[in-house]
Amino acid sequence: MSVPTIHKTLRSLLLVLVFEFNWPVFCNADFWGTESSPSPSTSPIAADSPTAVLAPISTLTGEHATKRDFWIKIYSELDSTQGVVHDAVKIDRVFESLSFKDIEGGSASRKAFKLERAAIKKWRDLAQRVHIKRKHPEKMTEEEKKFFAMIPESEGENRFADLTKRKRIRFQLGQKDRFLTGLIESGRYLPAMEKTFREKGIPVELTRLPFVESSFNTRARSKVGASGIWQFMRSTGKLFLRVHPHTDERNDPFRATEAAARLLKQNFEKLGNWPLAVTAYNHGPDGIARAAKKVGSERLEDVLDRYHSRRFGFASSNFYSEFLAAVEVEKNAEKYFGKIERLPPLQAVEVEVQDEISMSELIKFLKLDLEKIKDLNPALSLSVIKGHTRIPAGYQLRLPILPDTSAELTLKLFVAGYEQIPALFKRKVKNRFRRRL
């Protein structure tokens, strides 16, 4: 018997149980999508009356505005087979463009890495030579004279020596292809994310931060241990989410969005404005508070101009500019990428699993689609998905809505079917999975 036939038969049998005998629903459900009309209290996309926004997003002024333009080019013009060698302080000052299109393995190859290092060293050495000859331009080569003219005298006597400092000249890889992939993927999550932020009075533009953090890659993992589309570190994630080897909610876009909203709101309440609050998402609220206190200003521009710390590096000082660029590129995606089609919002319901139970048993008895369950529940480890480790009791399992069935009926059918699973496959526990939010 085919799976659709099984679903149809199961639906017919259980409809009697659900409606004639009023089977109880023991779970809380969330619905994604706009095709059905769930109540506002259970739908992340329902158009509730929004909470007043704490404060609008503001742009950067002066020369800091050019930083946004640099990141717009990185997100919309250069793909991940290209990049630029540039000044880490005057970031729009580009010394050289590199291409890895003809290199096997592309930008991730060892050859590409050597090419980057060689280019950085070349320009650093050039700066050193020009610094030595700065008072005798007549002794410079044509290449040195050209470089000498590139850096204005207004930047000081040691402007060329400064360029020889560690990390002053750096390489930036293009992100156009990854940003485009993120645009397509974001369609699955942004409607629900925007609703979460509206409910907390947070500007919906901040839901675009995952373009900066991960390009909406749910499997994104950083070298330092950050995970998920919001790139939560374990220590920060544990403040808001369940972070466990088998159930890591940092990897669940919806749970992580709720956590990010809380964290950003806390940052705003501590720091007083969104430029500082967003920068604190990368650098930490205490660090940004110390920076603002040291420079005697709550303007991010003043912090960027006057605060100097080894810990406040390139990533932190550019984070807000990257965010503004991401907002611009996403808002005007057709201008930068042409016509694109985003994935539709996820259509799913959530159900609380009452007992510890193996995923393999759940799939077998309820005829669920394992790949869809895996896709909808990225917080679950591969060990849980494969049935080696039980789903924890109390976990909110996300389910696909059955074909030609409403979200509510899908939920009731699951409940009815779950009750029919023999007790020997279920394990009752006292310490149930509890969400931190």
Side-chain angles (χ1 to χ4, degrees):
M1 186 181 293
S2 66
V3 172
T5 302
I6 293 174
H7 280 157
K8 186 175 181 180
T9 303
L10 180 63
R11 186 183 301 113
S12 300
L13 291 173
L14 294 181
L15 277 173
V16 177
L17 295 173
V18 171
F19 295 109
E20 294 296 328
F21 297 99
N22 195 25
W23 279 61
V25 176
F26 54 74
C27 57
N28 295 319
D30 288 332
F31 299 79
W32 284 264
T34 56
E35 294 181 3
S36 58
S37 301
S39 64
S41 63
T42 59
S43 172
I45 295 179
D48 292 349
S49 299
T51 303
V53 175
L54 295 174
I57 295 296
S58 60
T59 59
L60 294 176
T61 58
E63 67 176 32
H64 295 292
T66 63
K67 291 185 175 182
R68 187 197 75 148
D69 298 335
F70 172 83
W71 291 109
I72 287 175
K73 292 179 180 179
I74 294 299
Y75 292 149
S76 66
E77 295 182 12
L78 303 176
D79 64 29
S80 59
T81 66
Q82 304 165 284
V84 293
V85 179
H86 71 110
D87 188 341
V89 175
K90 307 283 186 180
I91 68 171
D92 58 333
R93 179 183 287 156
V94 175
F95 301 120
E96 182 179 359
S97 297
L98 300 180
S99 175
F100 310 117
K101 290 181 179 179
D102 298 326
I103 298 177
E104 185 178 354
S107 60
S109 68
R110 185 171 182 81
K111 187 175 181 180
F113 177 77
K114 288 182 177 180
L115 186 62
E116 294 171 24
R117 296 299 97 190
I120 291 172
K121 184 178 185 303
K122 178 184 74 174
W123 289 98
R124 188 180 292 151
D125 290 347
L126 180 58
Q128 179 65 34
R129 295 198 305 272
V130 171
H131 173 71
I132 294 172
K133 300 177 184 179
R134 67 191 184 281
K135 294 184 178 180
H136 303 283
E138 71 279 0
K139 296 183 180 181
M140 294 181 184
T141 65
E142 289 302 316
E143 182 184 36
E144 290 166 351
K145 288 179 181 178
K146 186 177 180 180
F147 189 71
F148 181 74
M150 182 187 295
I151 315 299
E153 290 185 25
S154 59
E155 293 185 25
E157 176 70 16
N158 293 319
R159 60 192 183 279
F160 298 105
D162 290 341
L163 287 170
T164 67
K165 293 179 180 178
R166 183 173 176 268
K167 296 185 178 181
R168 177 61 189 267
I169 296 178
R170 68 183 297 276
F171 174 79
Q172 177 60 52
L173 188 67
Q175 301 289 319
K176 180 178 180 179
D177 49 340
R178 295 173 183 174
F179 200 99
L180 178 57
T181 299
L183 281 170
I184 296 170
E185 285 291 322
S186 69
R188 309 180 81 200
Y189 312 113
L190 277 178
M193 292 168 65
E194 289 180 351
K195 177 181 180 293
T196 296
F197 274 52
R198 285 192 186 98
E199 287 177 342
K200 295 187 180 297
I202 302 174
V204 294
E205 293 94 332
L206 292 176
T207 60
R208 276 55 178 174
L209 274 172
F211 283 109
V212 178
E213 292 283 15
S214 64
S215 290
F216 278 86
N217 179 4
T218 59
R219 297 181 179 84
R221 309 287 187 274
S222 76
K223 295 179 181 178
V224 295
S227 192
I229 68 169
W230 285 94
Q231 287 292 281
F232 274 106
M233 295 291 290
R234 289 183 64 86
S235 56
T236 306
K238 285 181 177 180
L239 299 175
F240 308 99
L241 300 164
R242 168 89 171 195
V243 180
H244 184 274
H246 301 310
T247 48
D248 191 341
E249 290 185 318
R250 295 179 300 165
N251 300 326
D252 186 303
F254 302 106
R255 299 288 178 261
T257 292
E258 294 167 0
R262 288 186 62 187
L263 177 57
L264 286 164
K265 188 171 184 178
Q266 287 180 9
N267 288 351
F268 178 86
E269 291 170 347
K270 180 181 180 71
L271 300 166
N273 62 65
W274 287 119
L276 292 185
V278 171
T279 304
Y281 189 87
N282 177 271
H283 189 68
D286 292 338
I288 294 299
R290 284 193 298 270
K293 183 178 181 180
K294 188 168 184 178
V295 302
S297 173
E298 294 181 349
R299 294 180 69 249
L300 178 59
E301 291 93 330
D302 294 333
V303 172
L304 296 176
D305 286 335
R306 305 204 299 266
Y307 183 65
H308 302 287
S309 169
R310 293 184 65 181
R311 295 189 63 186
F312 191 67
F314 183 84
S316 296
S317 62
N318 279 272
F319 193 71
Y320 194 70
S321 297
E322 292 179 62
F323 159 66
L324 293 177
V327 170
E328 161 63 21
V329 175
E330 190 273 340
K331 182 179 180 181
N332 299 290
E334 192 166 337
K335 167 186 173 182
Y336 295 105
F337 298 99
K339 189 173 181 60
I340 62 172
E341 187 173 342
R342 305 194 195 203
L343 292 174
L346 285 180
Q347 301 285 328
V349 292
E350 283 186 4
V351 57
E352 181 179 324
V353 180
Q354 293 292 288
D355 318 283
E356 285 190 353
I357 187 169
S358 167
M359 181 68 77
S360 57
E361 301 298 341
L362 206 59
I363 296 296
K364 180 177 69 175
F365 282 104
L366 299 183
K367 308 301 181 185
L368 300 174
D369 186 321
L370 180 60
E371 285 305 311
K372 288 183 178 179
I373 294 295
K374 179 181 178 182
D375 179 55
L376 291 170
N377 295 274
L380 296 177
S381 70
L382 194 58
S383 177
V384 174
I385 294 296
K386 289 186 174 182
H388 303 320
T389 303
R390 290 172 179 260
I391 304 170
Y395 182 78
Q396 295 284 334
L397 185 69
R398 200 168 290 125
L399 304 167
I401 298 175
L402 295 174
D404 303 317
T405 305
S406 68
E408 183 179 5
L409 182 55
T410 293
L411 186 61
K412 289 186 176 181
L413 289 171
F414 177 90
V415 171
Y418 185 87
E419 288 293 325
Q420 302 306 303
I421 298 176
L424 65 93
F425 295 107
K426 305 171 185 176
R427 180 187 297 169
K428 300 289 184 182
V429 294
K430 292 182 179 180
N431 298 321
R432 297 165 60 79
F433 182 94
R434 297 186 184 277
R435 292 181 56 199
R436 289 185 176 274
L437 290 175

